[in-house]
C-alpha cells in the first residue's frame, strides 16, 4: 500500500504523480474504517483529501505553516505527519485529538476548533515572519461556511493591505455543517457557474490569436467583462488576488495553483471546489449527518449504537413547535445549527419565523435583540461553547436593554470527544455575571419543557442550559411550577443539603443514596436557578443543615457554588459549603463518563468528598 510508505512529514513527496489518485483512495478507505469505529468528523475530511495532499507536496512542513479553520478537516494532515497509529485512539481520553493541537506535532501551528479564525491567525503569523526576516509560506484554509462569520471579513479587510505573500485557500464544498446560508453561499454558487466564462475566454483568444489588434482590444476590456461575468472579482476588489475556481479533487492541479500563489507578493485566494463526503456514498448523500458522526456500520452508514431514548434536542424541538403553534410571536434563531439544536422541525413548520444567521453568533444575538424590540419573542438555540463568542452582544445588546430574548443553550457542560474548544463549562459563570440575565437549568426533560414555556412569557433575558445526550426522565413525579428564583426541594431531611444544578440533580440522587447507605441524613434540592439563587431557601435550611454541597457541571470560578458560599459568608450564617465543580482549567477530550471520574464530579467521588468533610 502507498500509505505504508508515509510514516513521517514529507514522505508524500516521494510518491509519484501517477499514483496520487490511488493514494487519495487509500486515505479515504483508511479514514472511513477508523472513524466507523471511533466516530469523528467524516464528511469534511473526505472532501479535503486531495487538498491536504497538495499542500504537503507543494509546501515544506513544518517550516511552512498551515492554519486549518475550525480544524475538523485535519485528519489527512495528521495522517501525513506520522500520526497514523493515533487514529486507533482518536478523540478518546489520552488519545489523539480530532482537531489540530500544537502539543501533538510541530506541523500543527495553531490550535483551532471554532469557525472563521484562520485568516486572522494567518495574518499574525505573516507579520511575525516578516518582522523576523524569515521566508516561509503561511496558508490559511477556510471553508465557505466559515465565511458567514464576521471575523473572516475583518481579517480579509486587513489582508488587502499586504505587500507580502499570504495564501488563503477557500475550500468551497457548498456546506458548513448544514447547508450554507446567506449571500456568500449564493455568491459562491455564481462563482462556480462562472467557470464557463473562463473556458470561453481561452477559446476566444485561441481563435483570434492571429489578429493582434482585436486581441489587444479584448485584453483592454477584460477587467470590465470579468466584472460582469466573474463574481470572483469581489475578492479582487477587496485587494486580494483571486485564483479559481480550481478542481479541489485534482491533486496535481492544486499543487500547481499553490506554487503559483506562493509567487504573489500580496494576499492571494485560491478558490477550490470540493465535494463534502467524497468517496463514501452515505456521506455524500447526507453530509450534514456525517459531519460529526458516532461509530457506524460501513456498509450502510447506520449508527452502530442507535439511540433508543429521546435526547434534550428532541424535547426542545417538540416544545418549540408547540410554542410556535400557540404564539405567532415566537421566532427561532440558529447559527448554522438547525439540525444539531433541534430546530429543523420548527423551520419546516414555520419557515417565516425561522432564521439561520450562519456561523455568526454575534450577529444572531443582536438580531434577536432587534426582534425583541419589534415585539417578538426570539429564541436563540446555540451550543454553549459557541455562545461565548457573542459575550459582548449578550451583555450590551440584550442585557443592557433588558430585552426578552431566550437563549436555549445546548451542549452545556461536558460534551466529551471534541475536547477543549467544545466543552460548555463556562456559561454559568459568564452569564450569571450579567445584570438583568436570568439563568436556569432543568433537572430532566419535563422541566426543560416547563422552563421554555416560562422563558418565552418572561419579560427579560433568560438563559436555559441543558446537556448533550439522552434526556433524563427520572424524578418526573417532582414537577413544581417554575417560579422566578425559586428552587425545588425534592427530598427534605437534615444535616447535609445537596444543592444540585441541572444535569447534576441525577448525580446528586446517586450521591444521596450512597450517603444514606453509609448512615448519613441528606436533603436533595433542585437549584433550578443559578441567577438569582434562592436565598430564602438557603436561609431557612441553615437551621437544620450543617453542610451545603453545591454541585454543577461548570467551572468553579463564578459558578453556582461560589454564589452560595458568598451569600452564606456575607450573611454570617452558621453552615459550611463544599463546592463540587469542574476545576478552573480547560478539559481535554474523552467520553463524558471518563471525564466525570477524572474531574472528581461523579457520584462516588462526590460522596467520598462529602463523607470526608463531615467526619
Amino acid at each position: 500500500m502507498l500509505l505504508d510508505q508515509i510514516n513521517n512529514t514529507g514522505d508524500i513527496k516521494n510518491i509519484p504523480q501517477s499514483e496520487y489518485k490511488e493514494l487519495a483512495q487509500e486515505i479515504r478507505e483508511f479514514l472511513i474504517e477508523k472513524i466507523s469505529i471511533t466516530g469523528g468528523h467524516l464528511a469534511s475530511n473526505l472532501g479535503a483529501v486531495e487538498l491536504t495532499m497538495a499542500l504537503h507536496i507543494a509546501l515544506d512542513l513544518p517550516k511552512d505553516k498551515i492554519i486549518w479553520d475550525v480544524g475538523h478537516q485535519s485528519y489527512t494532515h495528521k495522517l501525513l505527519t506520522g500520526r497514523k497509529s493515533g487514529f486507533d485512539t482518536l478523540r478518546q481520553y489520552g488519545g489523539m485529538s480530532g482537531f489540530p493541537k500544537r502539543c501533538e506535532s510541530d506541523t500543527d501551528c495553531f490550535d483551532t476548533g471554532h469557525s472563521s479564525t484562520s485568516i486572522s491567525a494567518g495574518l499574525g503569523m505573516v507579520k511575525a515572519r516578516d518582522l523576523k526576516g524569515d521566508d516561509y509560506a503561511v496558508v490559511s484554509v477556510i471553508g465557505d461556511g466559515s465565511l458567514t462569520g464576521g471575523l473572516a471579513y475583518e481579517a480579509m479587510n486587513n489582508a488587502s493591505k499586504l505587500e507580502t505573500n499570504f495564501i488563503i485557500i477557500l475550500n468551497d464544498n457548498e456546506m458548513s455543517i448544514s447547508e450554507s446560508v446567506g449571500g456568500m453561499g449564493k455568491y459562491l454558487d455564481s462563482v462556480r457557474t462562472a467557470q464557463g466564462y473562463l473556458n470561453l475566454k481561452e477559446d476566444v483568444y485561441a481563435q483570434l490569436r492571429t489578429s493582434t489588434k482585436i486581441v489587444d482590444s479584448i485584453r483592454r476590456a477584460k477587467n470590465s467583462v470579468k466584472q460582469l461575468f466573474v463574481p470572483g472579482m469581489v475578492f479582487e476588489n477587496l485587494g486580494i488576488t483571486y485564483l479559481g475556481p480550481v478542481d479541489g479533487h485534482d491533486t496535481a492541479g492544486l499543487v500547481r495553483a499553490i506554487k503559483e500563489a506562493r509567487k504573489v507578493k500580496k494576499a492571494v485566494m485560491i478558490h477550490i471546489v470540493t465535494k463534502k463526503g467524497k468517496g463514501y456514498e452515505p456521506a455524500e448523500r447526507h453530509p450534514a449527518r456525517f459531519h460529526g458522526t458516532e461509530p457506524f456500520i460501513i456498509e450502510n452508514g447506520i449508527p452502530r449504537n442507535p439511540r433508543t431514548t429521546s435526547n434534550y434536542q428532541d424535547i426542545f424541538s417538540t416544545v418549540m413547535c408547540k410554542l410556535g403553534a400557540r404564539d405567532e410571536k415566537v421566532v427561532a434563531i440558529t447559527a448554522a445549527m438547525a439540525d444539531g439544536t433541534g430546530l429543523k422541525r420548527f423551520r419546516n413548520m414555520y419557515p417565516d419565523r425561522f432564521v439561520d444567521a450562519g456561523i455568526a453568533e454575534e450577529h444572531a444575538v443582536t438580531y434577536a435583540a432587534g426582534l425583541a424590540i419589534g415585539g417578538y419573542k426570539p429564541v436563540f438555540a446555540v451550543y454553549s461553547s459557541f455562545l461565548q463568542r457573542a459575550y459582548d452582544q449578550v451583555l450590551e445588546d440584550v442585557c443592557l436593554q433588558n430585552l426578552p430574548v431566550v437563549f436555549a443553550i445546548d451542549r452545556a457542560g461536558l460534551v466529551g470527544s471534541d475536547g477543549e474548544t467544545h466543552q460548555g463549562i463556562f456559561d454559568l459563570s459568564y452569564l450569571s455575571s450579567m445584570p438583568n440575565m436570568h439563568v436556569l437549568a432543568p433537572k430532566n426533560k419535563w422541566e426543560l419543557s416547563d422552563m421554555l414555556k416560562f422563558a418565552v412569557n418572561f419579560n427579560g433575558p433568560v438563559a436555559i442550559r441543558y446537556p448533550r445526550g439522552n434526556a433524563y426522565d427520572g424524578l418526573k413525579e417532582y414537577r413544581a411550577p417554575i417560579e422566578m428564583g425559586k428552587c425545588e426541594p425534592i427530598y427534605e431531611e437534615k444535616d447535609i443539603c445537596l444543592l444540585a444544578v441541572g444535569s447534576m440533580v441525577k448525580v446528586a440522587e446517586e450521591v444521596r443514596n450512597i450517603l444514606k447507605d453509609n448512615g448519613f441524613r441528606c436533603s436533595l434540592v433542585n437549584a433550578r436557578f443559578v441567577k438569582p439563587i434562592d436565598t430564602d431557601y438557603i436561609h431557612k435550611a441553615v437551621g437544620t443543615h450543617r453542610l451545603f454541597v453545591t454541585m454543577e457541571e461548570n467551572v468553579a470560578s463564578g459558578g453556582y457554588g461560589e454564589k452560595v458560599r458568598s451569600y452564606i459568608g456575607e450573611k454570617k450564617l452558621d453552615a459550611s459549603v463544599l463546592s463540587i465543580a469542574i476545576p478552573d482549567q480547560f478539559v481535554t477530550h474523552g467520553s463524558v463518563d471518563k471525564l466525570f471520574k477524572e474531574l472528581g464530579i461523579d457520584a462516588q467521588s462526590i460522596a467520598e468528598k462529602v463523607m470526608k468533610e463531615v467526619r
Side-chain angles (χ1 to χ4, degrees), residues 245-277:
V246 178
D247 181 355
H249 299 299
D250 175 7
T251 304
L254 288 167
V255 170
R256 289 193 297 271
I258 294 166
K259 288 183 176 179
E260 285 301 312
R262 184 72 178 91
K263 301 174 184 177
V264 179
K265 297 301 181 183
K266 59 185 297 189
V268 54
M269 175 178 285
I270 307 173
H271 176 191
I272 74 168
V273 179
T274 62
K275 185 173 184 62
K276 193 167 185 176

Side-chain angles (χ1 to χ4, degrees), residues 143-353:
D144 59 338
S146 295
L147 285 185
T148 58
L151 183 62
Y153 293 94
E154 295 175 30
M156 283 194 288
N157 180 62
N158 197 203
S160 67
K161 302 175 182 179
L162 282 181
E163 295 180 354
T164 185
N165 182 253
F166 173 43
I167 301 172
I168 303 166
I169 295 182
L170 172 56
N171 178 17
D172 175 10
N173 57 23
E174 305 180 52
M175 301 281 291
S176 50
I177 294 174
S178 302
E179 184 177 350
S180 290
V181 298
M184 183 52 69
K186 293 178 181 178
Y187 166 74
L188 291 172
D189 284 341
S190 64
V191 175
R192 296 178 207 113
T193 60
Q195 184 64 49
Y197 157 76
L198 298 176
N199 295 337
L200 174 64
K201 179 190 74 173
E202 295 304 320
D203 290 344
V204 170
Y205 282 168
Q207 293 294 324
L208 299 178
R209 203 166 279 146
T210 57
S211 177
T212 304
K213 184 176 181 180
I214 294 177
V215 171
D216 288 344
S217 296
I218 291 175
R219 289 190 184 279
R220 284 195 296 272
K222 181 179 68 172
N223 285 340
S224 297
V225 175
K226 287 177 75 175
Q227 290 283 359
L228 289 172
F229 294 103
V230 185
M233 283 298 291
V234 74
F235 297 109
E236 294 272 359
N237 291 337
L238 282 171
I240 298 172
T241 298
Y242 173 85
L243 302 176
V246 178
D247 181 355
H249 299 299
D250 175 7
T251 304
L254 288 167
V255 170
R256 289 193 297 271
I258 294 166
K259 288 183 176 179
E260 285 301 312
R262 184 72 178 91
K263 301 174 184 177
V264 179
K265 297 301 181 183
K266 59 185 297 189
V268 54
M269 175 178 285
I270 307 173
H271 176 191
I272 74 168
V273 179
T274 62
K275 185 173 184 62
K276 193 167 185 176
K278 182 175 175 61
Y280 182 53
E281 186 177 350
E284 289 186 10
R285 289 201 314 266
H286 306 288
R289 182 156 67 85
F290 283 90
H291 173 78
T293 180
E294 298 299 317
F296 60 91
I297 300 169
I298 294 177
E299 288 73 20
N300 52 29
I302 296 175
R304 292 179 183 271
N305 303 301
R307 282 196 296 117
T308 57
T309 60
S310 60
N311 59 28
Y312 281 102
Q313 293 69 43
D314 296 330
I315 305 303
F316 174 73
S317 175
T318 299
V319 177
M320 280 298 296
C321 290
K322 290 180 179 179
L323 290 171
R326 296 171 189 168
D327 189 346
E328 63 181 15
K329 295 292 186 181
V330 173
V331 179
I333 303 171
T334 183
M337 298 297 292
D339 291 353
T341 59
L343 283 178
K344 185 176 180 179
R345 285 172 58 198
F346 189 98
R347 177 187 64 192
N348 294 338
M349 293 175 67
Y350 312 105
D352 291 342
R353 287 187 279 142

